[in-house]
Amino acid sequence: AAEHLPNARHIPIDELSGRVEEVSQLVGGDKRAPIVVYCASGRRAAKAQQLLSDAGFQQVVNGGGLDDVR
């Protein structure tokens, strides 16, 4: 059972490209809204940050690993 922060949305990195619209809905369509991505160690979060930035989201922050964002 993976841990997540309260109110976090779990989107596996291999599903993220197909769920970008869901991310957009989560921020109310505002691609300037801040988004913090994290994972167990930070490596997948870096990939997620790049993917979302490439999709036009302007304030995507790599929070690193779960222990880093607690």
Side-chain angles (χ1 to χ4, degrees):
E3 292 185 47
H4 301 286
L5 294 176
N7 300 315
R9 179 66 55 108
H10 178 240
I11 301 176
I13 189 65
D14 59 337
E15 296 177 15
L16 183 56
S17 63
R19 294 175 67 180
V20 170
E21 181 57 35
E22 181 180 339
V23 175
S24 184
Q25 290 174 1
L26 289 169
V27 295
D30 182 1
K31 290 195 172 188
R32 294 170 296 161
I35 298 171
V36 177
V37 294
Y38 69 94
C39 63
S41 68
R43 276 191 262 171
R44 288 171 299 205
K47 291 179 183 180
Q49 179 185 31
Q50 185 63 55
L51 192 151
L52 292 173
S53 293
D54 290 349
F57 294 91
Q58 298 173 16
Q59 294 189 60
V60 184
V61 175
N62 180 352
L66 178 59
D67 289 335
D68 297 323
V69 292
R70 283 190 187 169

